[in-house]
Amino acid sequence: ATCSSDRFLMVWKLKMPYTAYRFAGHEEAVTSVEFSPDGQVLASASQDHTVRLWIPCIHGESSVLKGHTASVRSVSFSHDGYSVVSASNDKSVKIWSVCSQRLLFTLFQHTGWVRCAKFSPDGRIIASCGEDKSVNIWDPRNKTCINSFSDYEGFANFVVFDPSGTRVASAGSDHTVKLWDIRINKLLQHFKVHRAGVNCISFHPSGNYLITASTDGTLKILDLLGERLIYTLHGHKGPVLCVAFSKGGEKFASGGADAQVLLWKTNFDSLDYKEVLKHNFRRTHIDDPPHLLDTYPKTPHFHDEKFQSVEVNPALDVPDKRTPDPVVIEIRPSSPIST
């Protein structure tokens, strides 16, 4: 599923014959989209101040969730699919019930536009980031902010939990990617490998890799165990706005300001990381108490030439398997989703 400033939501069938389903309903740019964990519902956020829930089928059933008073920047499901969290320029984070399609409660603490909000993998906490230069951690049961990390040089555009739920990564407007341990409330890793703002990040399901999308036109893959940049990927013409690993980690997709969606295949399985894991035992066993060396902010890991990171350009290094234009099926909103 993809969304765009063209106001449409697209659901793509990636097997031959290629088909794209174009869902109309939002009145302004669609800023975020996500499948529910079971794949039965789609949630979208838009600059028209609304969140929408969709049944991804040709009947076009959808429900509008109204409550925000400004553009909605992001939307994300809880692990059980029963709740959705949204972040908005109205400086609020809202939690919605999927079943009853109504607002449950609102979280207030940010003093600027809220760029992104995500549930932890177990659904017990929420992380949000905003233009007030803070990354907030919330306890939705008590509706309180239990911690806040500050990013003094710039604000975070995007925030996401690692698969274990113990670390939060933030993508900064100051070209940086930061990794926080929310158990000890400390900055663990700090990468500065891009030449422009970082718009989106995604963890590999193993938690050992992080992929980043930047306004500098590149995607980069970071090895969190080796604390280094391993791949720089070219392909988009202009800013790369979003990126996401597939559930199994064997592929990832990226979207750019060039109106293209690129689907990439990973080769992590061909790398022998057993030795790396052996030498990084402490880092990979996240339930152990943190090591003293991990309890203070580390200096940024810059793109150091000695690491010999690999640059991949589909136009030069691999064949660009651009798909033929798919059959596009237009779907207009019909009836609301029934409870």
Side-chain angles (χ1 to χ4, degrees):
T2 60
C3 62
S4 169
S5 55
D6 63 9
R7 299 178 298 171
F8 296 117
L9 197 70
M10 300 283 282
V11 176
W12 306 81
K13 179 170 166 275
L14 298 178
K15 293 179 181 177
M16 293 286 281
Y18 300 110
T19 313
Y21 300 90
R22 180 187 286 144
F23 290 82
H26 282 295
E27 296 173 5
E28 293 187 43
V30 191
T31 54
S32 176
V33 64
E34 187 175 283
F35 272 107
S36 62
D38 63 5
Q40 300 299 304
V41 183
L42 273 170
S44 61
S46 171
Q47 290 181 3
D48 65 10
H49 305 185
T50 69
V51 171
R52 273 183 180 260
L53 300 176
W54 310 77
I55 303 293
C57 66
I58 59 172
H59 303 300
E61 294 174 90
S62 69
S63 292
V64 184
L65 306 180
K66 295 181 178 179
H68 284 294
T69 58
S71 296
V72 188
R73 293 274 190 158
S74 86
V75 67
S76 183
F77 280 94
S78 59
H79 72 299
D80 55 14
Y82 293 160
S83 304
V84 161
V85 61
S86 59
S88 169
N89 285 3
D90 64 11
K91 306 178 186 177
S92 75
V93 174
K94 292 183 184 291
I95 289 80
W96 311 81
S97 166
V98 175
C99 297
S100 61
Q101 299 163 33
R102 65 182 181 86
L103 177 65
L104 295 177
F105 54 89
T106 303
L107 303 174
F108 293 105
Q109 175 92 7
H110 285 286
T111 57
W113 291 358
V114 191
R115 288 266 178 165
C116 182
K118 298 279 184 183
F119 276 103
S120 62
D122 61 8
R124 291 191 297 174
I125 54 177
I126 291 170
S128 64
C129 63
E131 296 192 9
D132 56 4
K133 300 185 178 181
S134 68
V135 174
N136 290 346
I137 307 297
W138 307 85
D139 181 349
R141 292 166 297 184
N142 301 325
K143 306 178 182 60
T144 55
C145 180
I146 55 177
N147 205 354
S148 185
F149 306 111
S150 293
D151 198 337
Y152 297 107
E153 296 174 37
F155 57 84
N157 287 313
F158 195 88
V159 67
V160 66
F161 284 91
D162 79 331
S164 73
T166 60
R167 298 176 298 172
V168 165
S170 60
S173 65
D174 59 354
H175 314 180
T176 66
V177 173
K178 295 183 179 180
L179 199 64
W180 313 82
D181 188 319
I182 60 174
R183 299 164 298 173
I184 54 175
N185 304 327
K186 295 290 182 181
L187 177 64
L188 291 182
Q189 292 175 306
H190 178 190
F191 295 92
K192 195 163 188 177
V193 294
H194 283 289
R195 295 181 175 87
V198 186
N199 298 313
C200 188
I201 46 183
S202 179
F203 274 100
H204 186 265
S206 67
N208 297 334
Y209 305 100
L210 192 69
I211 190 164
T212 62
S214 170
T215 299
D216 66 12
T218 67
L219 297 140
K220 292 181 187 279
I221 299 177
L222 305 172
D223 175 4
L224 301 179
L225 296 176
E227 299 187 319
R228 67 190 185 99
L229 170 67
I230 53 175
Y231 289 108
T232 298
L233 307 172
H234 304 266
H236 287 285
K237 298 174 180 64
V240 190
L241 304 177
C242 59
V243 65
F245 271 110
S246 61
K247 198 171 281 188
E250 67 282 350
K251 293 185 179 74
F252 60 89
S254 60
D258 56 3
Q260 285 196 113
V261 177
L262 302 182
L263 191 64
W264 308 76
K265 190 176 186 301
T266 66
N267 66 346
F268 296 136
D269 292 339
S270 65
L271 299 174
D272 184 9
Y273 258 81
K274 288 179 182 174
E275 287 301 310
V276 178
L277 292 171
K278 197 182 295 181
H279 293 301
N280 288 275
F281 183 87
R282 171 175 52 79
R283 289 187 182 282
T284 57
H285 285 66
I286 48 91
D287 292 328
D288 291 343
H291 192 279
L292 285 177
L293 293 177
D294 279 344
T295 59
Y296 65 92
K298 296 184 176 181
T299 54
H301 300 283
F302 289 96
H303 184 172
D304 197 324
E305 290 302 319
K306 71 183 179 185
F307 286 132
Q308 298 284 311
S309 73
V310 179
E311 300 224 359
V312 178
N313 188 335
L316 304 173
D317 305 324
V318 294
D320 183 358
K321 298 180 179 178
R322 186 182 176 112
T323 57
D325 290 340
V327 175
V328 178
I329 299 173
E330 297 277 353
I331 299 172
R332 297 283 163 182
S334 57
S335 58
I337 298 172
S338 60
T339 320

